[in-house]
Amino acid sequence: MALAWQHAVREALRADGEDVDALRWVPAEALHVTLHFLGNVAGADLPVLGEAAERALVGVCGFPLRFEAPTGFPQSRRPRVVVLPARPQAPLADLAARLRDAVAAWVPMAEDRPYRPHLTLARVRRGKRVRLPSVTASVTTAADASVVTECVLFRSDLSAEGARYSPLARFPLEAPEAGGSGDGASAPVHP
């Protein structure tokens, strides 16, 4: 689904005469919704931090996740990143708050702004500018909803080509409540 949105944004940019190469597209294997950015964590702290995250997620049920039409951060007219806002916000914000509180002893809160759950599709290359067109055609269907079934602690290694993500720990959520929709796929959500 996210790849379909990447394609739709590329085509809309081309149609508007924008430079598609001004964007660095996130590869499919790197697509995720960040719950809490941990920054640099000492290797010795990872087991204790993982245990704290696991305790914070006890009793949390999986939930359906869907994405809205692409927009830009920090603004649509001159974005630095192109994102899909994630919905519903409440369960994602709850997960983010639980994890933030659980790891606060090891990882202080880096930013003091509201949590805005999203999936990053592309980043604007340094020194480039792009006017993000309105992408109104929906490329999603009801089957595109996923069910969040776990949180994953990832290590990110930065390089000139972008970040590479390696899973360090997985934290399963309880079975979704009855009446939830989605295809049962694991959504890539990580702390």
Side-chain angles (χ1 to χ4, degrees):
M1 187 269 311
L3 297 179
W5 274 116
Q6 283 181 332
H7 178 74
V9 171
R10 279 189 186 105
E11 293 307 309
L13 287 167
R14 281 190 186 101
D16 281 3
E18 291 287 327
D19 180 8
V20 176
D21 293 329
L23 294 173
R24 185 170 32 93
W25 300 92
V26 176
E29 64 275 6
L31 294 169
H32 64 275
V33 175
T34 299
L35 295 170
H36 186 62
F37 181 72
L38 302 177
N40 292 323
V41 175
D45 288 339
L46 286 174
V48 176
L49 188 137
E51 290 170 8
E54 187 172 36
R55 281 191 305 274
L57 297 172
V58 168
V60 176
C61 291
F63 55 91
L65 180 69
R66 65 184 188 289
F67 297 97
E68 293 183 344
T71 188
F73 276 178
Q75 57 188 0
S76 288
R77 299 193 85 196
R78 293 287 181 205
R80 287 192 308 240
V81 293
V82 179
V83 304
L84 297 177
R87 300 291 183 258
Q89 286 187 336
L92 289 167
D94 177 59
L95 283 176
R98 285 170 177 263
L99 291 167
R100 180 197 63 226
D101 293 346
V103 302
W106 298 275
V107 183
M109 192 166 145
E111 46 192 43
D112 189 23
R113 55 182 160 181
Y115 176 68
R116 293 172 46 180
H118 64 276
L119 185 139
T120 299
L121 293 178
R123 291 179 175 76
V124 178
R125 293 182 189 277
R126 192 173 302 210
K128 301 282 187 174
R129 294 187 86 166
V130 170
R131 185 184 64 77
L132 186 62
S134 174
V135 181
T136 56
S138 175
V139 296
T140 62
T141 66
D144 288 328
S146 293
V147 175
V148 176
T149 59
E150 67 180 3
C151 292
V152 181
L153 175 62
F154 281 104
R155 173 188 169 133
S156 61
D157 294 304
L158 303 179
S159 71
E161 294 83 38
R164 287 185 107 96
Y165 298 98
S166 306
L168 298 177
R170 295 182 181 279
F171 308 104
L173 302 180
E174 292 188 15
E177 296 173 357
S181 63
D183 61 9
S186 174
V189 179
H190 72 80

